[in-house]
Amino acid sequence: MDLMERVQRRAMKMIRGLEHLCYEDRLREPGLFSLEKRRLWGDLIAAFQYLRGADRRDGERLFTKACSDRTRGNGFKLEKSRFRLDIRNKFFTMRVVEHWNRLPREVVEAPSLEMFKMRLNEALGNLV
């Protein structure tokens, strides 16, 4: 747990009326996400912009679409590259692929960035 997460945990304990709840429930009450989930949210929005938005050319270089005829999940799966060094698993492209592939079809196929954000909030809200 990093410093920012500890600060957020301490601040959430100071809110009156929520002292008896666990950390996740204290976050859920005002409609907040943990810092880890907010980082993921930002990464997935950036990936959407690379893959579907104005940065599409850069997205084609960053991500590889998985060739699959499976119909389960979303229809826009990304391929995860393999590296020998563990440090590469922290790269943006490696962090995003697994989570992107788990998103429901209606989230990935959103027609606009705003719709993607709304649907992503719902999908991530179900994960807490």
Side-chain angles (χ1 to χ4, degrees):
M1 180 172 19
D2 64 345
L3 177 65
M4 290 298 294
E5 189 78 26
R6 281 187 281 172
V7 169
Q8 180 172 322
R9 282 180 181 269
R10 179 178 279 160
M12 293 305 295
K13 285 181 181 179
M14 294 180 188
I15 298 175
R16 287 191 179 133
L18 301 179
E19 301 92 1
H20 64 284
L21 298 175
C22 68
Y23 176 63
E24 287 79 19
D25 291 340
R26 276 186 243 136
L27 286 174
R28 196 174 293 134
E29 190 72 25
L32 299 175
F33 290 136
S34 67
L35 289 176
E36 180 181 342
K37 194 172 282 191
R38 277 191 263 160
R39 277 188 221 110
L40 174 62
W41 187 79
D43 286 347
L44 290 171
I45 288 172
F48 180 84
Q49 288 175 323
Y50 276 122
L51 294 167
R52 296 293 199 73
D55 301 331
R56 190 172 292 164
R57 289 185 185 166
D58 292 333
E60 291 172 0
R61 284 185 258 144
L62 282 174
F63 299 103
T64 306
K65 187 174 179 188
C67 297
S68 177
D69 57 353
R70 299 167 98 192
T71 58
R72 289 186 61 143
N74 70 55
F76 199 80
K77 300 274 185 186
L78 300 176
E79 192 173 291
K80 192 169 187 176
S81 302
R82 295 181 184 242
F83 294 107
R84 288 182 157 211
L85 300 175
D86 286 339
I87 193 167
R88 299 226 176 158
N89 291 331
K90 306 291 185 204
F91 287 171
F92 168 73
T93 54
M94 299 303 291
R95 286 192 322 253
V96 168
V97 169
E98 185 178 332
H99 297 288
W100 179 271
N101 289 341
R102 289 182 182 168
L103 290 175
R105 182 181 302 269
E106 60 271 5
V107 176
V108 173
E109 294 177 355
S112 68
L113 179 60
E114 292 307 313
M115 287 297 294
F116 178 78
K117 287 179 182 179
M118 287 182 359
R119 293 175 181 178
L120 181 62
N121 281 340
E122 291 174 18
L124 290 180
N126 295 332
L127 292 178
V128 175

